[in-house]
Amino acid sequence: LTTPIKPIYLSFQSNKQMVVRTHGAFSQISVKNVAQSEIFSLLCKKFGDYYDGLVKTYTEKRDILMKGLDDLGLKHNIPQGAFYLLVDISEFGYEKDTEFCEDLVRKVGVGSVPGSTFFAEDVQKYVRLHFAVNNETLYAALNRLESIRSKLTR
C-alpha cells in the first residue's frame, strides 16, 4: 500500500499568521515560538520578493481595467485580491446575464462570464471580467468596449 504525497501550500500574513493548505483543507497557525518565527522569517525572505512582484503586477492589471471601465462609465466592484471584477450590466436591459455574455462576445468581441454562476441567489445583473492577461489584451478589450452601449443597449 502506497500513501500518496499530498502537496502543502503555505502563505504568510503580515500579522505573522501562517495559513496552511493541504488537500483542500485550510488551517491557520499562529507563529508563537522562536523556531516558527525563524521559519516564517526565512520563508518571507526567500519568497517575499516573488509574491510582492505578483501583487504589483496584478494590481497594475486591475487598475488598467478599472480605469478603462471608469472612463467608459461602466459600474464595477473593486477587487481586493481576486484577478477578476464584476461589472454591473443593469443599464443594458438584459433579463439574463447569459444572454448579455453571448451578445458581448458576438457583437463586441469581449468574453465574460455570467455573474449568476457565482451566486446562490438568482442575481442576473453582473458579468465577470478577468484581468490575469497581458496588458495588450486588456487595452484591446477596453477599446472594443467603447462601442458597448451602441451595440448592446436594449
Side-chain angles (χ1 to χ4, degrees):
L1 204 56
T2 309
T3 305
I5 297 173
K6 296 179 182 175
I8 297 174
Y9 305 94
L10 303 174
S11 66
F12 299 93
Q13 313 299 317
S14 59
N15 61 359
K16 292 200 176 188
Q17 293 288 307
M18 181 169 40
V19 179
V20 181
R21 178 175 178 233
T22 59
H23 197 61
F26 289 90
S27 300
Q28 193 158 342
I29 302 166
S30 295
V31 180
K32 296 188 184 289
N33 65 41
V34 175
Q36 287 174 323
S37 184
E38 286 302 313
I39 290 170
F40 178 81
S41 295
L42 289 171
L43 288 171
C44 285
K45 286 178 189 172
K46 174 90 173 154
F47 300 108
D49 290 343
Y50 171 76
Y51 289 108
D52 290 344
L54 282 179
V55 168
K56 182 179 181 220
T57 296
Y58 285 99
T59 298
E60 177 184 303
K61 291 176 183 304
R62 179 199 70 182
D63 292 347
I64 289 168
L65 185 56
M66 286 192 337
K67 181 183 181 322
L69 294 174
D70 290 343
D71 290 348
L72 295 171
L74 295 171
K75 298 177 191 171
H76 59 83
N77 73 321
I78 302 172
Q80 298 298 310
F83 48 85
Y84 61 88
L85 54 74
L86 296 173
V87 177
D88 185 336
I89 60 167
S90 305
E91 72 174 274
F92 296 98
Y94 283 77
E95 289 185 30
K96 297 282 187 186
D97 57 358
T98 52
E99 292 173 9
F100 180 89
C101 288
E102 289 170 5
D103 282 352
L104 185 64
V105 76
R106 199 170 38 242
K107 296 178 182 179
V108 180
V110 174
S112 63
V113 179
S116 61
T117 307
F118 304 99
F119 296 104
E121 305 82 18
D122 185 26
V123 177
Q124 297 287 326
K125 69 178 207 168
Y126 298 107
V127 297
R128 179 173 155 166
L129 295 179
H130 176 76
F131 55 81
V133 296
N134 64 46
N135 291 356
E136 292 78 23
T137 301
L138 289 174
Y139 288 119
L142 290 166
N143 286 336
R144 291 176 184 177
L145 286 170
E146 289 176 2
S147 66
I148 191 170
R149 287 188 177 86
S150 65
K151 292 181 178 178
L152 295 188
T153 301
R154 289 189 164 181

